[in-house]
Amino acid sequence: MRKKAKSFLKLGVFLVCFGLVIFTCGYFYLDNRFQKTTVNDSVESVPYYTQIPDNKTILLSVCQDEILLNLNFSEEIINMIFLESDAENYGHSVDFKISFDYEMVGYLVDVAGGIEFENLRYTGVQITEMLEYSEQNIAFKKTVTQNIIKGIANNGFTKENLLYIIENSETNLGFAECFYWVDFIPKLCRFARFVN
C-alpha cells in the first residue's frame, strides 16, 4: 500500500510541476507577444473635431421649376432662391445639379413627415398628385418647399434619404462628395432663408 501511495504522490507532484511549467511558459510567451503590439501610437490624421464641409450651391430642377440651394455650412444656414430665368444665379456659382420629378417631391414630403396646407395635413402621394394633375401656382410650390424644409429641420435627414435622392434623380453629385452633409442638413434647415 505504501508503494501505491508513493506512486500517486509522485504522479501528483509531476502533474503539478508540469502544469506550473506550462502555465509559466504560456504566461511569458503571451506577455512577450503583448509587449510587441503597439497600443498607444499617436495618429495625426484623425481629426478631434467634426470637420465642417465646404459651402456648396445646388441647382434643383423640379420639372419646369428651378430652385437654387446655397448650403452655407460655416454659418449653418440654407439660402433658397426660386429662379425666374436661367441667367439669374444671384451671385452663386452652381457646384452641383439635381433634376427630378414630382414623385421625388412626394418622397421629400414623406421624409418631412407630411406637410400642412390650408389647415389640412398632406402626404407625399397627395402632394405629388396635386402637382401633377392640377395647375399649381408658384406660391403653392414655395409653400410646399418651405414646409419640406421645416419638416426636415424637425424630423432629421438620414444617409439613406440622401442615397435615395442621388440614385433616383439625374445628378452630377456623388454620394461620397456629400456623405458628411447629412449631419449638417437639419441644422441648415432650421435657419432657412427664402429669397423671392
Side-chain angles (χ1 to χ4, degrees):
M1 186 76 174
R2 220 166 190 215
K3 230 180 183 180
K4 241 182 189 183
K6 257 185 166 178
S7 67
F8 277 125
L9 185 61
K10 283 184 184 178
L11 180 63
V13 170
F14 173 76
L15 289 176
V16 168
C17 291
F18 181 74
L20 285 173
V21 169
I22 295 295
F23 177 78
T24 305
C25 290
Y27 173 78
F28 286 116
Y29 174 76
L30 288 176
D31 185 48
N32 187 24
R33 297 290 291 170
F34 285 134
Q35 286 180 2
K36 286 184 182 179
T37 305
T38 305
V39 175
N40 192 6
D41 193 13
S42 64
V43 179
E44 296 176 12
S45 63
V46 176
Y48 292 101
Y49 61 94
T50 303
Q51 186 174 358
I52 298 172
D54 295 331
N55 298 342
K56 297 293 179 187
T57 302
I58 300 171
L59 179 64
L60 287 180
S61 297
V62 184
C63 295
Q64 69 272 15
D65 300 312
E66 289 189 333
I67 305 168
L68 199 66
L69 297 176
N70 175 251
L71 306 175
N72 191 333
F73 294 105
S74 57
E75 294 180 16
E76 292 186 353
I77 193 166
I78 184 172
N79 296 307
M80 300 190 66
I81 304 166
F82 287 84
L83 298 178
E84 302 291 327
S85 67
D86 293 336
E88 298 178 89
N89 281 345
Y90 295 87
H92 298 287
S93 60
V94 175
D95 298 306
F96 302 106
K97 294 181 180 183
I98 302 175
S99 297
F100 52 78
D101 57 10
Y102 291 134
E103 286 186 22
M104 183 63 72
V105 175
Y107 173 77
L108 292 172
V109 168
D110 289 336
V111 167
I115 61 172
E116 285 191 29
F117 186 69
E118 297 176 351
N119 295 325
L120 295 173
R121 190 144 195 88
Y122 291 92
T123 65
V125 173
Q126 291 169 320
I127 295 295
T128 299
E129 289 176 354
M130 290 171 74
L131 290 168
E132 284 180 348
Y133 300 117
S134 62
E135 188 65 33
Q136 297 297 334
N137 59 15
I138 194 71
F140 175 77
K141 293 175 183 178
K142 286 181 180 181
T143 303
V144 169
T145 306
Q146 290 171 352
N147 282 316
I148 289 172
I149 295 297
K150 288 177 189 172
I152 290 173
N154 294 331
N155 297 324
F157 194 76
T158 65
K159 292 176 180 94
E160 290 79 13
N161 298 141
L162 184 62
L163 185 61
Y164 182 86
I165 292 169
I166 291 172
E167 287 180 345
N168 294 290
S169 61
E170 294 178 24
T171 183
N172 62 343
L173 177 64
F175 185 69
E177 295 169 304
C178 58
F179 179 78
Y180 293 105
W181 295 4
V182 173
D183 297 331
F184 294 88
I185 288 176
K187 293 177 190 174
L188 296 179
C189 290
R190 283 187 201 109
F191 300 102
R193 239 184 337 212
F194 299 94
V195 180
N196 286 6

